[in-house]
Amino acid sequence: MGNVHVLEHPLLQHKLAILRDKNTGVKEFREVVGEISALMCYEATRDLPTREVMIETPIAMAKCKVLAGKKLAIVPILRAGLGMVDTIIDLIPSAKVGHIGLYRNPRTHEPVKYYCKMPPDISERHVIIVDPMLATGGSASDAITFIKEYGCHSITLMDIIAAPEGIAKVQKDHPDVDIFVAAVDEKLNENAYIVPGLGDAGDRIFGTK
Ligand code: PRP
Ligand code: URA
């Protein structure tokens, strides 16, 4: 079973309170999504392998560590996941970016796929899927399935807020995937929105409501 990491760092929790506030405007919302994504990425990459190298400083030789092992790919689930990408690739400039377009059918809440474009060497990379919201888990589970179809089996899921239902679905469908979240909320409402959540993440990032 994949591990669920709930990141309770005070900086993250403070910024999450700003996102939840219905009075937070588009500009600040977008900025804080970026800041949270960078902080979460720091935790989600904590166990990346490193190797030792010798570096000559102006004073002496120093034994240093650099990243080793698989290169990374960041895969946002469109649209809202796009808001998490820029600050992550600032931290990991060598990461490639794949895109999966999914929207939820408003009646059934089932994900509908409308776009998919992956880097050609995705199967050799460790993939971090990013999306602010893990509600029913349908979108995340389908996204993981699509990425596995490319031959990729090293996958992490990173969401800002999750519902227990979404975590349970991803754990059941993809027990090999670790999940990083900043909060696990109480439940879903009748429209499959997370309670208390933050509303519609895509609309709040892009100002579409
Ligand atoms: C939201 C969110 C996730 C999905 C989560 O996207 O960004 O992708 O819903 O819900 P689920 O866990 O029940 O599948 P939405 O479908 O609203 O599309 P958008 O990002 O284009 O607004
Ligand atoms: N998608 C969102 O943007 N918010 C939710 O609460 C659930 C799905």
Side-chain angles (χ1 to χ4, degrees):
M1 181 71 75
N3 291 316
V4 180
H5 306 261
V6 184
L7 306 177
E8 284 170 342
H9 194 290
L11 284 179
L12 268 174
Q13 296 307 314
H14 181 91
K15 290 176 191 297
L16 187 51
I18 297 171
L19 290 191
R20 289 189 190 278
D21 188 337
K22 69 176 188 179
N23 296 313
T24 299
V26 174
K27 178 174 184 289
E28 190 180 11
F29 191 90
R30 209 180 274 155
E31 286 167 359
V32 174
V33 165
E35 290 165 5
I36 287 177
S37 305
L39 291 169
M40 292 187 73
C41 174
Y42 183 77
E43 287 295 334
T45 52
R46 180 176 286 282
D47 293 330
L48 287 183
T50 56
R51 66 183 165 83
E52 280 187 358
V53 293
M54 295 303 293
I55 298 283
E56 189 174 1
T57 80
I59 310 295
M61 295 303 290
K63 202 190 286 179
C64 300
K65 289 180 180 170
V66 295
L67 291 174
K70 282 180 191 287
K71 298 214 172 94
L72 296 184
I74 311 303
V75 177
I77 301 178
L78 308 184
R79 291 174 301 167
L82 280 178
M84 301 176 71
V85 173
D86 285 358
T87 55
I88 295 178
I89 56 177
D90 282 347
L91 287 177
I92 313 169
S94 62
K96 290 190 177 172
V97 181
H99 295 85
I100 294 182
L102 293 172
Y103 69 88
R104 296 199 311 179
N105 177 310
R107 195 177 46 81
T108 64
H109 310 133
E110 289 291 322
V112 181
K113 184 177 164 192
Y114 61 89
Y115 187 75
C116 192
K117 180 86 179 173
M118 292 295 145
D121 59 352
I122 189 87
S123 63
E124 292 149 37
R125 290 178 175 259
H126 173 69
V127 174
I128 304 179
I129 300 175
V130 296
D131 190 338
M133 310 303 277
L134 179 63
T136 65
S139 304
S141 179
D142 279 9
I144 296 167
T145 301
F146 299 142
I147 289 168
K148 286 181 174 173
E149 284 168 3
Y150 282 81
C152 184
H153 291 281
S154 177
I155 301 170
T156 295
L157 176 67
M158 202 170 104
D159 291 274
I160 298 176
I161 301 180
E165 294 88 334
I167 289 178
K169 177 161 178 64
V170 172
Q171 285 196 309
K172 175 170 160 289
D173 294 351
H174 301 286
D176 53 320
V177 171
D178 278 358
I179 305 172
F180 288 79
V181 297
V184 181
D185 277 11
E186 193 189 325
K187 60 178 182 182
L188 297 175
N189 69 12
E190 61 284 5
N191 297 317
Y193 273 81
I194 299 174
V195 182
L198 52 71
D200 188 303
D203 284 342
R204 296 197 66 188
I205 290 171
F206 295 109
T208 41
K209 208 168 241 171

